[in-house]
Amino acid sequence: MGGTTAGPVSLDPASGKARTPIPVSGVHQWLTTLLQDLPKPTEYRFTADYSRAVVDYCLEKWLAGSSAAAPAVEEAGAEFREAMTAAKDLSEYQVDQVCNRIFGTERELSAWLCGTTERYLNIIKPWTPVWLSFTNWALRWCRQNSIETLVFLARDALPFYVAATSLEQGLNLHLAHVSRATRPDALTANSILRQPSIALVDSGCYGTCINELRQRRSAVLDNSHDDGLATLLYYSRNPQLFGYVNYVMGKDMLASPETMDRAADFVIYAGDLLEALPKPYRYREQDLSSVELSDLVSFTISIAALSRISSMAKASTFLDAERMNDIHEQVGLLFRLYQLAQHRCDLRSDFLFDEPTPKSLPAPGALAGLDFVEIPPQSYAFGTASG
């Protein structure tokens, strides 16, 4: 787990550029520095010039950090497609849809990368307020319930972590590198899990990682404070775990029996879109305690996207809470467009892919530890078995 007090990243003394591999404890500093050093919009008269400057910045950092030569356009596209397929967040057919909708015809690498990045950012632009609204709601809920420590599960929760750090609301924020394939450093994880009040923030789905962290905390505390940990998911396929988009879509689900299935599909689609967001780094197969830069296209898109999320979060601090959390209209508009796109091919280019990704159920018993456990805020709505 890495937090806002992560140790220094290994730097090249001559250039000040981060080398790979990067220890997971240094990801926060590395990512923060990358975002802080990005070109600023105020430095450019035209938006196109600023967009090109961001892409050129990312290309420079990627070349320095990956120790690789600049790829040809075809090679960069192929590496992105391979990385998206290997992540298994989307099916191969969905990956093809993403590539077909963002790849351009430019032959020069920087121009192609700029066009590809802009097309991706334009498609996800309507979703950014939704991600920011969830982050803001999670921070406010934690303050209301006297929870001071928030643990964001990387890599899927990176947008929420970046937004939360930009909102600067005085909470203790940590980035935990834990997933089905990655386990956190025991010493660091245990020190965080000993905190008296913790909330876990993640993209969502079934909650297998949540269950593991709950069991780890129970062991660390010798069952003296055996709770389920507050768990705030962006979307949920587990009725025991809170899902933000699930609740936002509640009105549409109840509008009519005919729309309920489509509304439920849209909740899963919203989660798939978030989880498929390209990541700036990937775990090293031979050493899960460190990371390395992802492929060029993933790196560039993710840094550009996280930068926009950070900028929106900083700007939103001037908005009142009611305006920040009135997200139903935005989600409702996206849902209506999603429904129309099923019948109109001309609208499908407004989405990265057409349908939710087929899901694999967790292994038998993987969620048994969550049975009849009080896990707020979901338990606040439904209560526990003993309640």
Side-chain angles (χ1 to χ4, degrees):
M1 290 189 180
T4 54
T5 58
V9 180
S10 176
L11 299 175
D12 182 343
S15 64
K17 297 168 182 173
R19 295 172 175 172
T20 51
I22 304 167
V24 293
S25 61
V27 168
H28 165 77
Q29 178 194 337
W30 170 79
L31 184 60
T32 299
T33 301
L34 276 175
L35 295 175
Q36 288 177 343
D37 292 347
L38 272 166
K40 307 298 186 289
T42 54
E43 299 171 354
Y44 298 87
R45 183 177 179 183
F46 300 107
T47 302
D49 293 337
Y50 169 66
S51 298
R52 182 62 178 261
V54 169
V55 168
D56 288 344
Y57 168 88
C58 290
L59 177 58
E60 176 189 355
K61 295 297 182 182
W62 186 84
L63 291 172
S66 64
S67 301
V73 167
E74 294 80 3
E75 183 182 358
E79 290 178 352
F80 174 75
R81 186 188 299 270
E82 181 180 348
M84 291 282 285
T85 303
K88 297 182 179 179
D89 291 317
L90 302 177
S91 67
E92 291 188 20
Y93 179 68
Q94 289 173 311
V95 172
D96 287 340
Q97 289 180 329
V98 172
C99 294
N100 291 337
R101 293 172 188 180
I102 66 171
F103 285 177
T105 58
E106 301 91 348
R107 304 309 304 165
E108 191 265 326
L109 178 63
S110 186
W112 177 84
L113 190 58
C114 186
T116 296
T117 301
E118 280 303 299
R119 281 183 286 273
Y120 195 105
L121 294 179
N122 285 336
I123 292 175
I124 67 170
K125 184 177 181 180
W127 295 88
T128 307
V130 186
W131 301 337
L132 185 56
S133 179
F134 167 63
T135 306
N136 182 66
W137 189 91
L139 296 179
R140 290 177 58 208
W141 185 87
C142 288
R143 287 201 312 274
Q144 177 68 27
N145 290 275
S146 302
I147 295 176
E148 299 181 353
T149 301
L150 280 76
V151 181
F152 296 78
L153 305 191
R155 301 174 300 166
D156 288 339
L158 273 176
F160 309 138
Y161 179 71
V162 168
T165 55
S166 299
L167 287 169
E168 299 179 348
Q169 296 191 8
L171 298 168
N172 299 320
L173 310 178
H174 298 270
L175 188 64
H177 291 83
V178 55
S179 67
R180 290 185 299 273
T182 308
R183 297 294 175 259
D185 170 69
L187 181 62
T188 308
N190 292 349
S191 66
I192 296 175
L193 293 175
R194 285 193 179 96
Q195 299 301 313
S197 59
I198 303 174
L200 304 177
V201 182
D202 195 15
S203 58
C205 205
Y206 291 108
T208 51
C209 296
I210 303 296
N211 185 40
E212 179 182 334
L213 289 172
R214 189 199 68 79
Q215 293 175 337
R216 180 188 287 267
R217 187 178 192 224
S218 178
V220 167
L221 298 177
D222 295 324
N223 296 311
S224 60
H225 188 64
D226 185 14
D227 61 26
L229 297 177
T231 300
L232 302 157
L233 302 183
Y234 176 66
Y235 82 112
S236 176
R237 297 200 74 179
N238 186 334
Q240 292 177 271
L241 299 176
F242 171 88
Y244 180 76
V245 179
N246 302 67
Y247 279 94
V248 172
M249 286 295 295
K251 182 178 179 180
D252 292 281
M253 289 186 182
L254 296 177
S256 71
E258 292 77 19
T259 62
M260 179 173 261
D261 286 345
R262 295 304 298 168
D265 284 346
F266 179 77
V267 170
I268 308 305
Y269 182 94
D272 291 340
L273 180 70
L274 172 71
E275 293 179 340
L277 188 71
K279 313 300 190 294
Y281 60 88
R282 61 193 175 204
Y283 300 106
R284 305 175 73 222
E285 293 183 4
Q286 65 275 30
D287 180 10
L288 295 179
S289 67
S290 62
V291 302
E292 59 189 5
L293 270 62
S294 55
D295 67 279
L296 175 59
V297 179
S298 297
F299 176 79
T300 303
I301 289 176
S302 61
I303 293 300
L306 293 173
S307 173
R308 289 197 178 184
I309 292 169
S310 176
S311 297
M312 284 190 65
K314 291 176 181 177
S316 72
T317 59
F318 300 100
L319 300 178
D320 58 81
E322 182 177 352
R323 185 176 175 186
M324 274 291 301
N325 285 277
D326 186 16
I327 203 65
H328 292 86
E329 183 176 346
Q330 177 68 15
V331 174
L333 175 60
L334 287 167
F335 177 48
R336 289 191 292 274
L337 289 174
Y338 174 79
Q339 288 182 294
L340 287 172
Q342 307 305 309
H343 308 287
R344 292 179 51 182
C345 294
D346 59 310
L347 295 178
R348 292 180 184 176
S349 60
D350 293 335
F351 295 86
L352 285 173
F353 46 91
D354 294 341
E355 297 281 351
T357 308
K359 294 293 185 293
S360 299
L361 292 172
L367 301 176
L370 298 179
D371 289 345
F372 309 119
V373 174
E374 182 175 350
I375 307 176
Q378 187 77 336
S379 58
Y380 289 9
F382 292 92
T384 59
S386 60

